[in-house]
Amino acid sequence: MRILVTGAAGMLGSAVVPIFTAAGYELLATDIAPRLPQMSRLDVRDQLAIDEEFGRWQPDLVLHLAAETDVDRCEREPEHAWRTNTVGTYYVALACQRRDIPLVYISTAGVFDGNKASPYTELDEPRPINVYGASKREGERIVQQLLPRSFVVRAGWMIGGGERDKKFVRKIVDQIRGGARILYAVTDKYGTPTYAPDFARGLVTLVRRGYFGLYHMACSDWGTRLDVAQAILEFLARTDITVQGVSSDFFAESYPAPRPRSEIMENWRLNLLGIDQMRPWRVALQEYLALNFTRDGTDKVKTEVA
């Protein structure tokens, strides 16, 4: 099977590309900012470029990873968010529809409003409260309307990427690297971390079995940002650093976009089918830190796309 991957240079792509390659698939990795010579440049907001790449590569499947995931940038620049996450997805889905090609679309727990007391399942109605969530939700609708043969897969708080990690874990690690002795993490936001390599292996299973549909794919168990920060210090054996719990108001100036109180998801459909491969987030986090970072937070290995 020949697979075209959009957004391959990102943190999720760093796991998806090598894992799908190891599984025996032939991949064309593309990104708006290619990092490696074997990557092709593709801006999903350019419909002509998409059609040209599809015509050249003749894919049997598309993994659509390209997205603007910076929640605060989406809120500041809504047109950028809608063009990237919604219009870009529309162009990719149209190209798949015209050629009868299945599509894997990566979405987010951010499509929910966060008010549910129990974990969200695929049966819950999305009600996004910020531009990022709204633009990704509209992308879901487009894919589902245009492509009956599609996989819409929602991820939680992403862990992965190594040197390309721009999310919470890397931000904590960078503070450790910078010599911080006190870290601050919020206690009033709840979620399910999602380990990129486990997520990528789960996608391989869905693709191989042809189980089209909507899925949640996050690590088992849940926690707060404080829980994740404390686990990082524990796994790096940094007993010399203190982490202090704070409310979201503490970071209101740095992270002004509204965020759901809860992004806890349950992999309900994966469990029904007996194919949930996501490990507990603490186990996955420990593996990620061991493979990528030393005790002082410096890079242990360089993660490259194969």
Side-chain angles (χ1 to χ4, degrees):
M1 182 183 289
R2 293 161 61 84
I3 300 177
L4 188 149
V5 186
T6 70
M11 61 183 293
L12 180 56
S14 70
V16 165
V17 171
I19 285 172
F20 268 79
T21 300
Y25 296 103
E26 185 180 0
L27 268 62
L28 173 65
T30 73
D31 198 277
I32 192 172
R35 299 184 66 259
L36 299 171
Q38 58 266 42
M39 279 189 184
S40 297
R41 185 183 186 280
L42 179 62
D43 183 348
V44 297
R45 299 166 300 184
D46 185 339
Q47 187 177 17
L48 179 59
I50 290 171
D51 287 336
E52 289 176 350
E53 206 66 71
F54 272 65
R56 183 176 72 86
W57 182 247
Q58 299 290 315
D60 302 301
L61 174 78
V62 175
L63 298 175
H64 183 39
L65 314 183
E68 177 54 74
T69 61
D70 185 327
V71 177
D72 296 292
R73 183 180 181 187
C74 288
E75 209 68 18
R76 291 192 310 270
E77 305 173 32
E79 183 177 347
H80 166 72
W82 288 102
R83 289 187 66 232
T84 303
N85 295 339
T86 307
V87 176
T89 297
Y90 177 59
Y91 289 157
V92 173
L94 272 181
C96 288
Q97 184 193 52
R98 290 166 180 163
R99 297 164 177 83
D100 193 24
I101 300 170
L103 172 68
V104 178
Y105 173 72
I106 308 305
S107 193
T108 170
V111 299
F112 297 111
D113 62 14
N115 293 327
K116 190 181 179 185
S118 56
Y120 284 99
T121 75
E122 296 88 338
L123 301 180
D124 289 307
E125 183 65 29
R127 293 185 180 88
I129 63 172
N130 55 37
V131 173
Y132 169 65
S135 64
K136 291 297 290 181
R137 172 55 180 158
E138 191 59 28
E140 290 184 355
R141 288 197 185 100
I142 288 169
V143 170
Q144 291 168 328
Q145 289 169 1
L146 294 182
L147 300 168
R149 294 200 305 151
S150 62
F151 310 86
V152 174
V153 189
R154 293 174 181 149
W157 296 345
M158 192 62 69
I159 297 174
E163 64 177 1
R164 275 168 279 172
D165 188 350
K166 298 179 182 179
K167 298 297 184 179
F168 182 77
V169 173
R170 186 55 186 253
K171 290 176 181 179
I172 293 295
V173 168
D174 283 346
Q175 290 179 65
I176 295 171
R177 174 186 297 171
R181 288 295 176 262
I182 300 179
L183 306 177
Y184 300 92
V186 301
T187 60
D188 56 1
K189 295 290 187 290
Y190 307 86
T192 40
T194 300
Y195 187 41
D198 286 357
F199 187 89
R201 284 185 279 269
L203 293 181
V204 170
T205 298
L206 286 177
V207 168
R208 280 182 167 168
R209 300 200 180 193
Y211 290 167
F212 301 116
L214 169 67
Y215 296 92
H216 289 179
M217 194 180 290
C219 288
S220 60
D221 302 332
W222 57 272
T224 64
R225 295 294 191 185
L226 176 64
D227 293 327
V228 177
Q230 288 174 329
I232 293 170
L233 294 181
E234 176 188 343
F235 297 147
L236 293 179
R238 294 304 300 264
T239 57
D240 56 323
I241 300 175
T242 301
V243 59
Q244 181 175 323
V246 297
S247 73
S248 297
D249 292 341
F250 185 86
F251 291 107
E253 186 173 339
S254 301
Y255 302 102
R259 285 166 166 80
R261 181 191 68 87
S262 172
E263 295 180 270
I264 301 173
M265 294 194 302
E266 177 185 346
N267 302 341
W268 186 70
R269 283 186 171 153
L270 291 178
N271 281 313
L272 279 180
L273 294 169
I275 57 171
D276 186 2
Q277 301 175 61
M278 302 299 290
R279 291 175 288 172
W281 68 262
R282 292 177 184 274
V283 174
L285 175 62
Q286 186 169 19
E287 177 180 290
Y288 176 59
L289 293 171
L291 290 174
N292 290 278
F293 302 107
T294 61
R295 184 176 179 274
D296 64 357
T298 54
D299 292 313
K300 187 173 184 179
V301 298
K302 297 295 184 182
T303 305
E304 292 289 355
V305 174

